Short mmCIF file of all heavy atoms in Angstrom, two decimals:
data_model
loop_
_atom_site.label_atom_id
_atom_site.label_comp_id
_atom_site.label_asym_id
_atom_site.label_seq_id
_atom_site.Cartn_x
_atom_site.Cartn_y
_atom_site.Cartn_z
N TRP A 330 -11.86 11.96 19.52
CA TRP A 330 -11.94 11.95 18.07
C TRP A 330 -11.76 10.49 17.64
O TRP A 330 -10.64 9.98 17.57
CB TRP A 330 -10.85 12.82 17.45
CG TRP A 330 -11.11 14.30 17.57
CD1 TRP A 330 -11.55 14.98 18.66
CD2 TRP A 330 -10.90 15.29 16.55
NE1 TRP A 330 -11.64 16.31 18.39
CE2 TRP A 330 -11.24 16.54 17.10
CE3 TRP A 330 -10.46 15.23 15.23
CZ2 TRP A 330 -11.16 17.72 16.38
CZ3 TRP A 330 -10.37 16.41 14.51
CH2 TRP A 330 -10.73 17.64 15.07
N GLU A 331 -12.85 9.81 17.35
CA GLU A 331 -12.84 8.37 17.14
C GLU A 331 -13.15 8.02 15.68
O GLU A 331 -14.03 8.63 15.06
CB GLU A 331 -13.87 7.70 18.04
CG GLU A 331 -13.66 7.96 19.53
CD GLU A 331 -14.83 7.50 20.37
OE1 GLU A 331 -15.98 7.58 19.89
OE2 GLU A 331 -14.60 7.06 21.52
N LEU A 332 -12.44 7.02 15.17
CA LEU A 332 -12.78 6.45 13.87
C LEU A 332 -13.84 5.38 14.09
O LEU A 332 -13.61 4.41 14.81
CB LEU A 332 -11.54 5.85 13.22
CG LEU A 332 -11.77 5.09 11.90
CD1 LEU A 332 -12.38 5.99 10.84
CD2 LEU A 332 -10.47 4.46 11.40
N VAL A 333 -15.01 5.57 13.49
CA VAL A 333 -16.12 4.64 13.68
C VAL A 333 -16.53 4.05 12.34
O VAL A 333 -16.30 4.63 11.28
CB VAL A 333 -17.34 5.32 14.35
CG1 VAL A 333 -16.96 5.82 15.74
CG2 VAL A 333 -17.86 6.46 13.49
N ARG A 334 -17.16 2.87 12.42
CA ARG A 334 -17.66 2.17 11.24
C ARG A 334 -19.09 1.75 11.49
O ARG A 334 -19.43 1.25 12.57
CB ARG A 334 -16.80 0.95 10.93
CG ARG A 334 -17.19 0.22 9.63
CD ARG A 334 -16.38 -1.05 9.45
NE ARG A 334 -16.73 -2.06 10.47
CZ ARG A 334 -15.92 -3.06 10.81
NH1 ARG A 334 -14.73 -3.19 10.26
NH2 ARG A 334 -16.32 -3.93 11.73
N ILE A 335 -19.95 1.97 10.48
CA ILE A 335 -21.34 1.54 10.54
C ILE A 335 -21.55 0.54 9.41
O ILE A 335 -21.44 0.88 8.22
CB ILE A 335 -22.32 2.74 10.40
CG1 ILE A 335 -22.14 3.70 11.58
CG2 ILE A 335 -23.74 2.25 10.35
CD1 ILE A 335 -21.12 4.79 11.34
N ASP A 336 -21.82 -0.71 9.76
CA ASP A 336 -21.94 -1.77 8.75
C ASP A 336 -23.23 -1.64 7.94
O ASP A 336 -23.23 -1.82 6.72
CB ASP A 336 -21.87 -3.14 9.40
CG ASP A 336 -20.49 -3.43 9.99
OD1 ASP A 336 -19.51 -2.77 9.54
OD2 ASP A 336 -20.38 -4.28 10.88
N ARG A 337 -24.34 -1.34 8.63
CA ARG A 337 -25.64 -1.19 7.96
C ARG A 337 -26.38 -0.01 8.56
O ARG A 337 -26.17 0.32 9.73
CB ARG A 337 -26.49 -2.47 8.13
CG ARG A 337 -25.95 -3.69 7.39
CD ARG A 337 -26.86 -4.89 7.60
NE ARG A 337 -26.94 -5.23 9.03
CZ ARG A 337 -26.07 -6.03 9.64
NH1 ARG A 337 -25.07 -6.56 8.97
NH2 ARG A 337 -26.20 -6.29 10.92
N PRO A 338 -27.24 0.64 7.77
CA PRO A 338 -28.01 1.77 8.32
C PRO A 338 -28.79 1.36 9.56
O PRO A 338 -29.44 0.31 9.59
CB PRO A 338 -28.95 2.14 7.16
CG PRO A 338 -28.25 1.65 5.94
CD PRO A 338 -27.52 0.41 6.34
N GLY A 339 -28.68 2.16 10.59
CA GLY A 339 -29.37 1.87 11.84
C GLY A 339 -28.51 1.16 12.86
O GLY A 339 -28.87 1.12 14.06
N ASP A 340 -27.36 0.60 12.45
CA ASP A 340 -26.47 -0.06 13.40
C ASP A 340 -25.75 0.98 14.25
O ASP A 340 -25.51 2.12 13.84
CB ASP A 340 -25.43 -0.90 12.66
CG ASP A 340 -26.03 -2.17 12.07
OD1 ASP A 340 -27.23 -2.40 12.28
OD2 ASP A 340 -25.29 -2.91 11.39
N ALA A 341 -25.37 0.56 15.46
CA ALA A 341 -24.58 1.42 16.33
C ALA A 341 -23.15 1.50 15.79
O ALA A 341 -22.59 0.50 15.33
CB ALA A 341 -24.57 0.88 17.76
N PRO A 342 -22.54 2.68 15.83
CA PRO A 342 -21.17 2.81 15.32
C PRO A 342 -20.18 1.97 16.13
O PRO A 342 -20.26 1.91 17.36
CB PRO A 342 -20.87 4.31 15.48
CG PRO A 342 -22.21 4.97 15.56
CD PRO A 342 -23.10 3.98 16.25
N GLU A 343 -19.27 1.32 15.44
CA GLU A 343 -18.20 0.55 16.08
C GLU A 343 -16.92 1.38 16.07
O GLU A 343 -16.49 1.85 15.01
CB GLU A 343 -17.98 -0.76 15.34
CG GLU A 343 -16.83 -1.59 15.91
CD GLU A 343 -16.54 -2.82 15.09
OE1 GLU A 343 -17.29 -3.10 14.12
OE2 GLU A 343 -15.54 -3.53 15.40
N VAL A 344 -16.30 1.55 17.24
CA VAL A 344 -15.09 2.35 17.35
C VAL A 344 -13.89 1.51 16.94
O VAL A 344 -13.62 0.46 17.52
CB VAL A 344 -14.91 2.89 18.79
CG1 VAL A 344 -13.61 3.68 18.90
CG2 VAL A 344 -16.10 3.77 19.18
N LEU A 345 -13.14 1.99 15.94
CA LEU A 345 -11.96 1.28 15.46
C LEU A 345 -10.66 1.85 16.01
O LEU A 345 -9.69 1.13 16.18
CB LEU A 345 -11.91 1.34 13.92
CG LEU A 345 -13.11 0.77 13.17
CD1 LEU A 345 -12.89 0.90 11.67
CD2 LEU A 345 -13.37 -0.68 13.55
N ALA A 346 -10.62 3.16 16.29
CA ALA A 346 -9.41 3.79 16.80
C ALA A 346 -9.79 5.12 17.43
O ALA A 346 -10.86 5.68 17.17
CB ALA A 346 -8.40 4.02 15.67
N GLN A 347 -8.90 5.63 18.29
CA GLN A 347 -9.08 6.92 18.96
C GLN A 347 -7.91 7.85 18.62
O GLN A 347 -6.91 7.42 18.08
CB GLN A 347 -9.20 6.72 20.47
CG GLN A 347 -10.41 5.89 20.86
CD GLN A 347 -10.45 5.57 22.35
OE1 GLN A 347 -9.43 5.29 22.95
NE2 GLN A 347 -11.65 5.60 22.93
N HIS A 348 -8.09 9.12 18.95
CA HIS A 348 -7.09 10.15 18.59
C HIS A 348 -6.88 10.19 17.08
O HIS A 348 -5.75 10.31 16.60
CB HIS A 348 -5.75 9.88 19.28
CG HIS A 348 -5.79 9.93 20.77
ND1 HIS A 348 -5.89 11.11 21.48
CD2 HIS A 348 -5.73 8.93 21.67
CE1 HIS A 348 -5.89 10.84 22.77
NE2 HIS A 348 -5.80 9.53 22.92
N VAL A 349 -7.95 10.12 16.30
CA VAL A 349 -7.84 10.03 14.84
C VAL A 349 -7.96 11.42 14.23
O VAL A 349 -8.99 12.08 14.33
CB VAL A 349 -8.92 9.10 14.26
CG1 VAL A 349 -8.81 9.04 12.73
CG2 VAL A 349 -8.79 7.71 14.86
N ALA A 350 -6.88 11.88 13.59
CA ALA A 350 -6.87 13.18 12.93
C ALA A 350 -7.31 13.08 11.47
O ALA A 350 -7.82 14.05 10.91
CB ALA A 350 -5.48 13.81 13.01
N GLY A 351 -7.08 11.93 10.84
CA GLY A 351 -7.47 11.73 9.45
C GLY A 351 -7.34 10.27 9.07
O GLY A 351 -6.60 9.51 9.72
N PHE A 352 -8.04 9.86 7.99
CA PHE A 352 -7.98 8.47 7.56
C PHE A 352 -8.40 8.37 6.10
O PHE A 352 -8.94 9.31 5.51
CB PHE A 352 -8.88 7.58 8.43
CG PHE A 352 -10.36 7.71 8.11
CD1 PHE A 352 -10.99 6.76 7.31
CD2 PHE A 352 -11.11 8.77 8.58
CE1 PHE A 352 -12.33 6.87 7.00
CE2 PHE A 352 -12.45 8.89 8.28
CZ PHE A 352 -13.07 7.93 7.49
N ASP A 353 -8.17 7.20 5.53
CA ASP A 353 -8.63 6.91 4.17
C ASP A 353 -8.78 5.39 4.04
O ASP A 353 -8.31 4.63 4.91
CB ASP A 353 -7.64 7.44 3.13
CG ASP A 353 -8.26 7.55 1.74
OD1 ASP A 353 -9.48 7.40 1.62
OD2 ASP A 353 -7.50 7.78 0.78
N ILE A 354 -9.43 4.96 2.97
CA ILE A 354 -9.69 3.53 2.74
C ILE A 354 -9.24 3.18 1.33
O ILE A 354 -9.51 3.93 0.38
CB ILE A 354 -11.19 3.21 2.90
CG1 ILE A 354 -11.68 3.65 4.29
CG2 ILE A 354 -11.47 1.73 2.69
CD1 ILE A 354 -13.18 3.49 4.46
N ASP A 355 -8.56 2.04 1.19
CA ASP A 355 -8.16 1.62 -0.15
C ASP A 355 -9.27 0.80 -0.80
O ASP A 355 -10.34 0.58 -0.21
CB ASP A 355 -6.83 0.85 -0.12
CG ASP A 355 -6.95 -0.52 0.54
OD1 ASP A 355 -8.08 -0.94 0.89
OD2 ASP A 355 -5.91 -1.17 0.74
N ARG A 356 -9.03 0.33 -2.01
CA ARG A 356 -10.07 -0.36 -2.78
C ARG A 356 -10.42 -1.73 -2.20
O ARG A 356 -11.44 -2.31 -2.58
CB ARG A 356 -9.61 -0.50 -4.23
CG ARG A 356 -9.68 0.80 -5.03
CD ARG A 356 -8.86 0.75 -6.30
NE ARG A 356 -7.44 0.77 -6.01
CZ ARG A 356 -6.50 0.78 -6.95
NH1 ARG A 356 -6.83 0.74 -8.22
NH2 ARG A 356 -5.21 0.81 -6.61
#
Side-chain angles (χ1 to χ4, degrees):
W330 285 44
E331 302 170 327
L332 174 60
V333 298
R334 185 185 68 201
I335 297 90
D336 293 339
R337 292 181 299 273
D340 287 357
E343 177 185 355
V344 178
L345 302 180
Q347 297 174 321
H348 297 286
V349 179
F352 77 99
D353 198 10
I354 304 174
D355 69 6
R356 285 163 288 182

